[in-house]
Amino acid sequence: MGLRESKKIETRRLISDCAARLFQEQGFERTTIAEIAAAARVARKTVTNYFPRKEDLALDQHEEFTAELARVVAEREPGEPPLAALGRAFRTALVTHSPAAGFTGVGFARMVAESPTLGARLRELHERREEALARALADAGGGGGAAEPSGAGDVEEGPGIAARATAAMIAAADRLMFRRIQELTLAGRTDDEIEALLTPEADHVYGMLVAAVGGFPG
């Protein structure tokens, strides 16, 4: 990595860290871009060059988040069903207390809960996560084992209805578990306590997905 690229990464991290501190101290809605720029000792335009949307300063891993489920499907072991790979990945996220699963800490969880803007952006990111998953399932083979009805996918480009329906069910479970972790975090539970509570719940939800989607080994 060259010096220029290294400097860009350092500046981006500095801006993100300053924004996170101010958001948690003052609240997302009350914090301005100008205040973040002043805290990071950069120009206001520098902040917007790195983060075009203010929400991206709080949710700065949004690209990785939206691509995660699709990536798990694309990178699964040869012969492994998509749903099995996703279930394994979620169990790993629980054990490692991954922020992408919802383990964000009480400060971040409270900031999102108190901000209508961030709540709307997070819902948008979950929708994009679902859309990326649908494309990955379609690439994996017709929506993960469910047969496409005649003519499905012919009207417009994009995944067929089976891939979209399968992705919708998986994404709904994913959002449910994310919200559950956030709720328990705000209720004062530790990450280890949340993991213990969520493990049987996640297994139950996964079993429901297997029954609903079909075509996957449990």
Side-chain angles (χ1 to χ4, degrees), residues 68 87-101 103 181:
E68 183 184 29
R88 176 172 50 81
F90 185 76
R91 176 59 68 86
T92 299
L94 272 180
V95 172
T96 60
H97 304 161
S98 168
F103 290 95
I181 292 170

Side-chain angles (χ1 to χ4, degrees), residues 63-199:
E63 292 180 354
E64 294 86 346
F65 178 77
T66 56
E68 183 184 29
L69 299 182
R71 178 187 55 77
V72 169
V73 171
E75 297 178 0
R76 71 192 189 281
E77 296 295 327
E80 183 179 26
L83 187 56
L86 290 164
R88 176 172 50 81
F90 185 76
R91 176 59 68 86
T92 299
L94 272 180
V95 172
T96 60
H97 304 161
S98 168
F103 290 95
T104 59
V106 66
F108 183 90
R110 183 178 295 113
M111 177 182 68
V112 174
E114 293 175 350
S115 169
T117 304
L118 285 182
R121 177 59 169 162
L122 187 57
R123 287 191 295 273
E124 178 186 343
L125 293 178
H126 274 291
E127 289 175 0
R128 289 173 55 188
R129 190 167 158 101
E130 177 184 328
E131 292 165 2
L133 175 60
R135 291 192 294 271
L137 289 174
D139 291 342
E148 290 282 2
S150 177
D154 293 342
V155 176
E156 59 183 35
E157 294 293 329
I161 192 63
R164 293 181 183 185
T166 303
M169 286 185 279
I170 294 170
D174 180 66
R175 287 192 295 271
L176 172 64
M177 292 293 100
F178 187 97
R179 286 197 301 269
R180 183 86 171 106
I181 292 170
Q182 293 275 283
E183 290 167 358
L184 290 170
T185 298
L186 289 173
R189 299 281 191 165
T190 67
D191 287 350
D192 287 339
E193 290 173 335
I194 294 172
E195 177 191 341
L197 287 168
L198 262 289
T199 296

